Amino acid sequence: MIPISPSAGGGRSAKPLRSSTPSPSPARVVPSGVASQQPVASQPPTPQARVTPTVTSGLEPTVTPVSPSATAQSAPIPTQSQPSPPVHTNGNLVFTYYYYWYDQATNAHLGPTQPLPIHPVPSPETSYKSVAWHEQELQDMTFAGIDVVLPVYWGFGSQEQWSTDGLGPLVQAEDDLTAAGKSPPKIGLFFDTTIMAGYDLTTEAGIAFFYANVHDFFSRIPRSQWALVDGKPVVWMWTPQSGNVFGPSLFEQIYSRFTADFGIRPYVVREAGWYCAITTWVSTGPGTRDCSQPIQTDGMYSWGAAYDGYKDVGNVAEVGPGYDERLIPGRPGKYRPRDDGNWYQMNFNLAIASQKKLLAIETWNEFHEATAICETVEYGRTYLDLTRQLTAQYKSTA
């Protein structure tokens, strides 16, 4: 069973402890020698948004990088020549973060030493290995008006075996539902950058390892299941991790290498912590930033809405139902009550009023922090019904 590790900030998922092995030269899978391309510029953050989110730093800068084992291999690139049509040609899109790290049989993220404030329903059995569980979650997402599911991916070749092993059953569930005439949400990447702690992302080795994980995820998902925004597959990034110095070259290389490997330009959405280059780190977080060359991507959002509420940051609206970390060892005990759904509805209404075309719900099923809107023992399908109503309102304004 994997224990829960403390995090420095609120509004973030509980993370399992991991041992790390120093590796000065992690190798990128399927090298690409294509020159950099200039990413599409996103809207600059408002002045109040140009503050490093409090959840950016969760690990000490001395953490050593985690690398794939010597035998770890990324999956081969899908052979289908063209991706599926975009989720929507026009209109507002709803995304949600899907935590698939659970396994009821082994108590992974569900066991008695990991007390949960809210709990998944007993049937179907909650497990990343279960096609039936993925199918039920995907069908519920469709009911709730979710267009794109963002599996919370922890990379390949690490101790978190569920990260890769859970994608096969998810893909099978998508296939089964499609074959049955249903329309499950399409799949985008949510790259949980926790595994990048300690990497210098201005170096070839650091950039290569970052991109290798992006490459691996899309190599495991059939192109027919890719979610496309403006015709581009979705690469959604969490916050910079402790020790991640970076500049525009990281994002330029993601664009150029992905385009070279898959023949299509990605739609990159970054968390607000990536708004400007980080050049140094201190014990409390980023030390200095260089905004002389702004980071440019297709989109930007601010993590933490479940606890903090809606923030007018970037071009993605972020909402959540509430937050409770009081049962997580080592956390300060932050708590945002749901207020019978009023907190969720109030912030969703602010997101609707923003007229932003992309909206992310934080989260679908993170139970440790009680941010789930999926069916639970405590709330039943209450938040599914409420989300269905709110997403319909949001889409009606497109």
Side-chain angles (χ1 to χ4, degrees), residues 36 47 60 117 163 286 307 362 391:
S36 301
E60 293 300 317
S163 180
Y307 178 80
E362 183 189 302
T391 56

Side-chain angles (χ1 to χ4, degrees), residues 95-264:
F95 300 71
T96 196
Y97 305 99
Y98 182 46
Y99 289 80
Y100 61 104
W101 54 13
Y102 305 105
D103 182 38
Q104 189 169 320
T106 61
N107 286 330
H109 283 273
L110 296 170
T113 61
Q114 299 179 15
L116 303 175
I118 59 175
H119 301 80
V121 293
S123 181
E125 182 175 288
T126 302
S127 175
Y128 66 87
K129 304 174 184 177
S130 170
V131 174
W133 177 64
H134 289 296
E135 285 184 1
Q136 184 62 57
E137 300 306 304
L138 291 171
Q139 289 185 87
D140 284 348
M141 288 179 200
T142 301
F143 171 84
I146 306 297
D147 301 296
V148 180
V149 55
L150 297 171
V152 181
Y153 178 70
W154 269 57
F156 71 98
S158 71
Q159 291 183 0
E160 315 308 327
Q161 197 64 34
W162 56 267
S163 180
T164 51
D165 288 359
L167 295 178
L170 173 62
V171 165
Q172 185 61 56
E174 286 262 346
D175 280 343
D176 291 350
L177 292 172
T178 301
K182 302 181 185 299
S183 299
K186 296 295 186 178
I187 300 173
L189 164 64
F190 180 65
F191 184 17
D192 190 319
T193 49
T194 300
I195 67 168
M196 296 306 305
Y199 276 89
D200 181 340
L201 299 179
T202 64
T203 66
E204 167 58 23
I207 293 172
F209 182 50
F210 193 107
Y211 173 72
N213 286 282
V214 174
H215 171 276
D216 181 75
F217 179 88
F218 282 95
S219 297
R220 296 175 187 274
I221 308 298
R223 290 186 178 226
S224 61
Q225 297 181 8
W226 290 3
L228 304 179
V229 177
D230 295 337
K232 305 169 185 177
V234 177
V235 176
W236 201 287
M237 297 165 49
W238 195 50
T239 63
Q241 296 300 293
S242 183
N244 288 161
V245 292
F246 67 89
S249 62
L250 170 64
F251 299 89
E252 293 166 1
Q253 288 299 309
I254 292 171
Y255 280 108
S256 64
R257 296 183 187 200
F258 192 101
T259 302
D261 288 345
F262 295 100
I264 187 170

Side-chain angles (χ1 to χ4, degrees), residues 1-7 14-20 59 66 101 109 114 154 159-160 194 329:
M1 181 168 55
I2 304 172
I4 299 300
S5 64
S7 172
K15 297 301 180 191
L17 294 171
R18 56 166 71 238
S19 62
S20 58
L59 297 170
V66 177
W101 54 13
H109 283 273
Q114 299 179 15
W154 269 57
Q159 291 183 0
E160 315 308 327
T194 300

